[in-house]
Amino acid sequence: MEKVKKIVSDILAKQKINTVYYVGCGGSLSGFFPAKYFLSAEATKLKVGYINANEFVHATPKEIGKDTIVIAASQRGNTAETVKAVEVANELGAATIGLTFEVPSPLAETAQYVIHYEFGPESIVENQKVSYGFKLALEILNRVEGYDKYNEMITALAKLNDIVAKAKIDVVPEAIKWAWEFKDDSVIYTMGSGSCWGPAHQEAICIFMEMQWINASVIHSGEFFHGPFEITDKNTAFLMMKSCGHTRFLDDRALDFINKFNNRIFVLDATQYGINELGEVAEYLEPMFCNNVIGVFNNLLADARKHPLTTRRYMWKFKY
């Protein structure tokens, strides 16, 4: 957190902060959704944006300027669209922060401030990409407007790793069962609401479609009854990341319907694995729980399908 505090302090010494934009592609963008959700829910003055990096480049929001912070992420630090987006933000006078696992890298060289995050099964949850994106939102909100649960959130972040570590062990029996039941599905729909829409989106595009070549779509639980529920039958495969917060009602409503017509939905519910120990702020940190714990399921699915998570058909194979 000290790194984040210093960056925000340095920026505030040079400019005001009226607007925060989260920019990235794929999992790096969806990983920012918890931070965007938090600011949208808690900020009364700060404006927050959440946008694909290439869209940012080609349809740059006019509010980007000297009182804006643009926070961008790229795992290897070489996503061309993201690096270009940071260049554009720099030219417009915004403060830019780059989150990357690879240093040095083009993103690290382009962003004005750089956070080198941890990655992998042994990484500490609060030092991961999603957590740093969130901690920046937390610190900015507290410094600009004040946030009465700031200390509670810092304490909860420190507790999160232990909850995740235990859950990754406790879910193994369910994960084995799920992997063998879902390994032959050609389509899987992910569902979520609130801050959990972020990890549900990431699961669909990065795991099922990119890494497993399974057709997938993410469905917001609140949108389920406005079109998507028509695809429900007894064999439709669903994976829901259930909210522990204000939008849990939306998930329960969708589940009540699905359970009447379908017996192939798996629900990852963090309340069964201790997330409520984090108190009122748990719903904002639940995506970090989901991102880590679902990894147990994904590794077992890849094993059951004999399709390693590292396999690609197009990505990094040629210019695109």
Side-chain angles (χ1 to χ4, degrees):
M1 196 67 190
E2 293 306 313
K3 175 77 169 177
V4 169
K5 287 182 178 180
K6 186 177 188 309
I7 289 174
V8 176
S9 292
D10 286 352
I11 292 172
L12 281 170
K14 302 173 184 176
Q15 65 173 69
K16 295 179 180 179
I17 302 175
N18 295 332
T19 304
V20 181
Y21 259 78
Y22 284 96
V23 178
C25 299
S28 289
L29 179 60
S30 62
F32 280 150
F33 188 79
K36 185 270 179 190
Y37 180 84
F38 168 73
L39 283 179
S40 293
E42 298 290 347
T44 59
K45 299 176 182 178
L46 279 167
K47 293 185 288 185
V48 58
Y50 171 88
I51 186 171
N52 169 270
N54 214 19
E55 184 169 343
F56 183 93
V57 170
H58 292 278
T60 311
K62 293 188 182 301
E63 60 189 339
I64 304 300
K66 63 182 180 64
D67 294 331
T68 304
I69 293 181
V70 172
I71 303 169
S74 169
Q75 178 82 340
R76 299 183 179 186
N78 62 355
T79 306
E81 300 94 327
T82 303
V83 175
K84 181 62 178 177
V86 173
E87 291 176 355
V88 170
N90 285 336
E91 291 169 1
L92 292 172
T96 56
I97 305 173
L99 278 59
T100 179
F101 180 61
E102 294 286 346
V103 175
S105 65
L107 179 60
E109 293 168 1
T110 305
Q112 297 162 27
Y113 302 91
V114 178
I115 293 178
H116 183 202
Y117 59 80
E118 295 181 16
F119 173 73
E122 304 304 319
S123 59
I124 303 300
V125 174
E126 73 167 309
N127 294 334
Q128 296 170 352
K129 174 173 56 182
V130 179
S131 299
Y132 269 118
F134 182 85
K135 286 191 285 188
L136 284 164
L138 174 65
E139 188 65 23
I140 292 167
L141 178 63
N142 192 53
R143 292 292 301 274
V144 174
E145 297 186 16
Y147 180 55
D148 60 359
K149 294 184 176 63
Y150 179 84
N151 290 328
E152 183 181 346
M153 189 73 81
I154 296 297
T155 300
L157 274 163
K159 292 180 179 178
L160 185 58
N161 194 73
D162 288 342
I163 292 173
V164 166
K166 184 177 186 301
K168 287 169 74 173
I169 296 171
D170 293 344
V171 299
V172 169
E174 285 289 337
I176 293 172
K177 179 182 176 183
W178 176 81
W180 281 98
E181 180 179 345
F182 284 69
K183 67 181 179 67
D184 296 322
D185 280 284
S186 59
V187 181
I188 302 177
Y189 296 97
T190 64
M191 296 184 68
S193 66
S195 62
C196 284
W197 188 87
H201 181 215
Q202 182 167 314
E203 182 72 6
I205 67 170
C206 294
I207 302 299
F208 293 150
M209 288 197 274
E210 176 188 335
M211 299 184 187
Q212 288 297 293
W213 305 349
I214 296 172
N215 291 315
S217 179
V218 59
I219 303 170
H220 190 285
S221 299
E223 288 290 298
F224 182 67
F225 294 102
H226 304 278
F229 73 150
E230 288 291 344
I231 53 88
T232 305
D233 63 29
K234 65 179 182 179
N235 295 315
T236 310
F238 293 102
L239 168 64
M240 174 182 282
M241 298 186 185
K242 190 174 183 180
S243 171
C244 68
H246 288 86
T247 64
R248 192 174 176 89
F249 171 82
L250 280 66
D251 297 331
D252 279 331
R253 183 186 175 209
L255 279 171
D256 287 345
F257 177 88
I258 291 171
N259 286 330
K260 293 176 183 177
F261 303 99
N262 172 275
N263 58 7
R264 302 201 64 242
I265 181 166
F266 177 79
V267 180
L268 179 59
D269 184 353
T271 65
Q272 298 177 0
Y273 301 98
I275 197 74
N276 288 340
E277 294 174 20
L278 303 182
E280 291 184 28
V281 301
E283 73 169 305
Y284 294 128
L285 302 183
E286 188 177 13
M288 293 74 137
F289 172 95
C290 292
N291 283 333
N292 281 275
V293 174
I294 201 65
V296 178
F297 294 77
N298 294 336
N299 284 321
L300 287 166
L301 179 67
D303 290 344
R305 299 183 74 242
K306 296 181 173 57
H307 186 118
L309 294 172
T310 54
T311 302
R312 299 292 185 278
R313 181 185 286 132
Y314 305 116
M315 191 171 285
W316 310 309
K317 301 292 186 180
F318 54 86
K319 185 176 177 62
Y320 51 86

